[in-house]
Amino acid sequence: MSELSNMRVLIVDDSEASVDILVDTLGNEYRINVAMDGDSALDVIRRNRPNLILLDVVMPGKDGYQVCGELKADESTREIPVIFLTGKAGIEDIVKGFSLGAVDYIAKPFNTEEVMARVKTHLENQELHRKLAKENWRFKTLAEAAFEGIFIHENGKIIDVNSEGSRLFNRDQHELLGRNIMRLLPLECQSSALNEEAKPWEGEITNSFGKQVPVEVRTKKFEFEDHPVRVTAIRDLSLQKTIENEKMALQNENMLLKDNLKERYKFGNIIGRSPAMQKVYEQIAQAASSDFNVIIFGESGTGKELVAKTIYELDHNNNRAFVPVNCGAITESLFEREFFGHRKGSFTGADRDQPGFFDEAHQGTLFLDELGELQASMQVKLLRVLEDGAYVPVGGTKPKTAEARIICATNIDLAEMVRQGDFRKDLFYRVHVIDIELPPLRKRKEDIPLLVELFLSRFPSKGGKPTLTGKMMDTLSSYEWPGNVRELQNTIQRFLVTNKITLPSGGSIPGEAEDESPDFNDGLGVALDNMERRLIEEALRKTMWNRGQAADMLKISRWTLQRKMAKYDFNKTDDPS
């Protein structure tokens, strides 16, 4: 039996005579569906997706052009090949049909051999694409691990692209699929995208924001079932060009910073692969490569101190002290003693010299958490030090020089406080040189599985590490987390003790150990499916949703894993990649 025999062909024509001819011609080779008008055709396509459509142009109601336009506008039907059937095959009609997305024209009256040949050609072409897509899974893991943007294309049409390629052009991966790669590249680069050349092409591409990105482009050709396919690697040279213009003393440091940015889900001790966190990583790298003051905005529990420590650790002065200060705990009467220190004998009980925060952070980093909690008089004293670079210890006479980098953090809208007159404008602008906005956890829920895995591995538990069920992960992903990452951490710590996920919304979900008995009323098939789903879910969780590694762990092919993920409805919201 031909491997095309199970393919479904939809015939759409209001002429019974034409339908009879086409059914007689194709019925012995393919599975046939028939529709007599445009609306009926669209209904059939939604219920039973065909592999190819033979579409009459002139019909009552919606004509073939309208039907084709609707199909190509719908992502779920866009790739179905459409062959127009028409008694008018003029140049204008043909051009209009192809512009709507049709792949061919067959003129009436039909030549049955021509009909059979063209249908077979397009179905074989579709089957080749299917096989090629299957083969692409073999390359996917390597492609995703590459620092270059990887584009697999056939006759210029992009059939696969990795996430780095998507980032280079600032376009969604699905938006790039099916596009002609030549339209993304400058004219002088197009030869390098088609041919294997001795030297890579160097130049600039333009992303969707109109930004020029320096790149290196080279291509490799290979055959798939006597079918030529090309792999084009586009390497971002922005880092290289930047380093060439930096001072030699900072060169190695900045290379490390940029390399860290290429990690998929981790930057220093910060975890997250969401676009929001990738932006934070870039801002941290920029802050660490300068000596300017930094202010970090974010709700409570988002990790502001962790970001401050990461900036400090990446800074070239990280061999000096990092001094964290909770401004909300500093009273007005103790401000000068705490920040500037005091001399022996300056007040009752001062039996020795005591350094202040600025002394402890000398040539290091002073982290002022909850800056917005400082009262107006304390703001004035802090501003004076930041402006003059000098302070005098309590009971002292000689000024000391403040040599510390200032990193501030707040969960309060300081700009609004300035407008209300509750925070000094001059102090705001003094600390507001580089600003980093930390997203709340509810705005980056794709990072929740990564954070859960981190906390599960970080904290000890009795009797081995318990496993989170799929229902638990769904609950964690749907909760809004007003306490952000800190609340999630506390929830996982409780889980490790109680083996239950308990949230303020009420109720609790037991762990696997308490809910592992199968329901015999479901039967063996359902029980096996449930077990298989849990195994797949556990493998994905342990590999941070890396499908290639999960497939290896399960000892199945990546293609098989993809089918099973579709079978058990692992939604995109489940996948943090």
Side-chain angles (χ1 to χ4, degrees):
M1 181 181 290
S2 168
E3 58 185 8
L4 302 181
S5 60
N6 283 325
M7 288 199 167
R8 189 179 301 277
V9 176
L10 173 62
I11 299 169
V12 187
D13 199 314
D14 63 331
S15 168
E16 292 185 6
S18 296
V19 169
D20 289 341
I21 294 172
L22 292 171
V23 170
D24 289 342
T25 302
L26 302 171
N28 291 331
E29 296 290 334
Y30 311 107
R31 299 162 70 186
I32 304 297
N33 289 111
V34 174
M36 305 299 288
D37 58 67
D39 287 321
S40 299
L42 292 170
D43 185 53
V44 170
I45 293 166
R46 293 187 192 102
R47 287 186 288 104
N48 207 347
R49 190 181 190 277
N51 299 100
L52 183 140
I53 301 172
L54 296 173
L55 181 59
D56 189 19
V57 172
V58 180
M59 293 184 296
K62 290 182 179 177
D63 64 20
Y65 294 139
Q66 290 174 296
V67 173
C68 185
E70 290 190 28
L71 292 175
K72 298 305 176 182
D74 187 338
E75 187 175 344
S76 65
T77 57
R78 184 176 300 157
E79 298 303 321
I80 303 175
V82 174
I83 299 177
F84 276 126
L85 309 173
T86 180
K88 300 185 298 180
I91 293 298
E92 291 183 2
D93 297 312
I94 293 174
V95 170
K96 181 176 181 180
F98 283 130
S99 69
L100 288 170
V103 297
D104 211 342
Y105 254 88
I106 297 178
K108 296 181 179 180
F110 303 126
N111 179 316
T112 57
E113 292 182 357
E114 178 189 7
V115 170
M116 180 62 77
R118 294 198 181 193
V119 168
K120 183 179 180 182
T121 296
H122 288 293
L123 288 177
E124 285 179 341
N125 188 48
Q126 190 178 39
E127 179 66 7
L128 284 173
H129 279 287
R130 187 192 67 79
K131 290 181 178 179
L132 185 60
K134 181 178 179 180
E135 188 71 13
N136 283 341
W137 286 110
R138 300 182 184 180
F139 304 108
K140 199 67 175 181
T141 300
L142 285 175
E144 285 302 315
F147 293 123
E148 296 88 0
I150 303 296
F151 294 79
I152 302 177
H153 54 98
E154 176 191 0
N155 296 325
K157 181 180 179 181
I158 298 171
I159 57 180
D160 209 347
V161 57
N162 68 351
S163 55
E164 176 65 9
S166 172
R167 185 196 69 79
L168 277 169
F169 289 96
N170 196 46
R171 296 178 185 271
D172 187 85
Q173 286 173 281
H174 295 292
E175 182 186 350
L176 289 169
L177 295 179
R179 290 178 65 97
N180 192 319
I181 192 172
M182 300 304 167
R183 297 183 180 178
L184 300 172
L185 302 173
L187 183 63
E188 60 272 20
C189 171
Q190 294 181 5
S191 174
S192 293
L194 291 176
N195 305 304
E196 295 185 22
E197 298 185 345
K199 281 188 172 184
W201 179 85
E202 284 193 27
E204 291 184 335
I205 60 172
T206 305
N207 66 18
S208 63
F209 285 157
K211 180 182 177 181
Q212 300 293 311
V213 181
V215 295
E216 175 184 277
V217 179
R218 67 192 320 161
T219 293
K220 181 78 173 178
K221 292 191 288 187
F222 68 93
E223 295 288 325
F224 173 71
E225 294 187 354
D226 299 325
H227 207 58
V229 177
R230 291 169 172 81
V231 177
T232 295
I234 304 180
R235 184 173 186 177
D236 187 350
L237 298 180
S238 300
L239 170 60
Q240 179 179 322
K241 300 299 181 183
T242 301
I243 289 175
E244 289 173 357
N245 297 323
E246 289 176 344
K247 295 178 181 179
M248 185 62 69
L250 294 175
Q251 186 175 25
N252 291 334
E253 172 193 355
N254 284 340
M255 287 177 65
L256 291 173
L257 292 174
K258 299 296 184 180
D259 284 342
N260 280 336
L261 284 176
K262 294 182 182 295
E263 288 190 49
R264 295 292 180 204
Y265 61 91
K266 188 176 182 182
F267 189 74
N269 291 319
I270 305 173
I271 295 290
R273 71 197 308 170
S274 60
M277 290 307 296
Q278 295 298 319
K279 181 179 179 181
V280 170
Y281 297 163
E282 293 178 7
Q283 293 171 329
I284 291 172
Q286 292 168 357
S289 62
S290 74
D291 293 321
F292 297 124
N293 292 338
V294 179
I295 186 163
I296 305 166
F297 297 100
E299 298 177 6
S300 294
T302 51
K304 297 185 288 295
E305 183 169 352
L306 181 58
V307 169
K309 284 184 177 177
T310 302
I311 294 172
Y312 158 75
E313 288 165 359
L314 295 172
D315 194 343
H316 60 279
N317 285 328
N318 63 4
N319 59 330
R320 307 290 184 174
F322 176 85
V323 180
V325 178
N326 183 353
C327 294
I330 305 296
T331 63
E332 184 176 5
S333 60
L334 294 177
F335 179 86
E336 291 187 68
R337 285 167 55 185
E338 295 286 355
F339 274 83
F340 308 147
H342 64 259
R343 293 301 187 196
K344 179 180 178 180
S346 58
F347 56 87
T348 302
D351 56 354
R352 57 188 173 85
D353 289 352
Q354 181 66 39
F357 295 140
F358 277 102
D359 295 310
E360 294 173 1
H362 183 64
Q363 295 186 341
T365 299
L366 181 60
F367 173 54
L368 303 179
D369 198 8
E370 304 305 341
L371 180 70
E373 300 292 338
L374 289 179
Q375 298 180 23
S377 60
M378 294 188 277
Q379 294 175 28
V380 172
K381 295 172 183 177
L382 178 62
L383 174 64
R384 187 177 299 121
V385 178
L386 298 184
E387 286 184 335
D388 299 340
Y391 62 95
V392 178
V394 175
T397 57
K398 294 182 179 180
K400 302 179 72 173
T401 301
E403 294 185 25
R405 187 198 191 157
I406 305 298
I407 300 180
C408 303
T410 180
N411 60 5
I412 302 173
D413 187 345
L414 288 187
E416 181 60 28
M417 288 185 68
V418 170
R419 286 190 289 271
Q420 298 291 333
D422 296 325
F423 196 86
R424 294 186 63 91
K425 181 187 295 186
D426 42 9
L427 178 58
F428 175 77
Y429 287 116
R430 178 65 64 177
V431 299
H432 195 275
V433 180
I434 298 176
D435 64 285
I436 298 175
E437 182 79 33
L438 290 186
L441 188 55
R442 63 181 175 275
K443 295 292 182 65
R444 58 180 189 109
K445 288 189 174 181
E446 58 265 55
D447 292 333
I448 288 176
L450 298 172
L451 292 165
V452 168
E453 180 65 22
L454 172 69
F455 297 144
L456 285 174
S457 63
R458 177 180 291 175
F459 303 117
S461 61
K462 296 181 179 179
K465 185 173 68 176
T467 301
L468 284 164
T469 65
K471 185 177 181 182
M472 286 178 171
M473 285 303 302
D474 290 342
T475 299
L476 295 177
S477 296
S478 60
Y479 182 57
E480 288 301 298
W481 298 108
N484 294 295
V485 178
R486 185 183 296 123
E487 183 182 4
L488 175 61
Q489 176 178 303
N490 293 340
T491 299
I492 297 304
Q493 285 180 288
R494 285 197 302 273
F495 167 71
L496 291 170
V497 175
T498 65
N499 201 29
K500 293 179 181 179
I501 292 295
T502 305
L503 297 173
S505 54
S508 64
I509 302 173
E512 279 191 341
E514 296 184 18
D515 194 26
E516 61 185 5
S517 298
D519 185 349
F520 290 97
N521 294 325
D522 290 337
L524 180 61
V526 173
L528 290 174
D529 282 348
N530 289 337
M531 182 179 295
E532 185 178 66
R533 189 189 196 284
R534 286 198 298 271
L535 287 172
I536 291 172
E537 189 172 54
E538 176 68 2
L540 289 167
R541 185 180 65 78
K542 286 186 175 180
T543 59
M544 302 297 184
W545 287 77
N546 183 306
R547 292 181 176 90
Q549 294 178 12
D552 290 341
M553 181 178 291
L554 294 166
K555 293 182 173 55
I556 59 177
S557 70
R558 177 135 183 189
W559 180 251
T560 300
L561 175 61
Q562 190 70 14
R563 285 192 300 101
K564 290 184 180 294
M565 288 178 67
K567 173 183 176 182
Y568 296 119
D569 196 24
F570 283 81
N571 298 319
K572 286 184 179 179
T573 53
D574 297 324
D575 186 346
S577 58

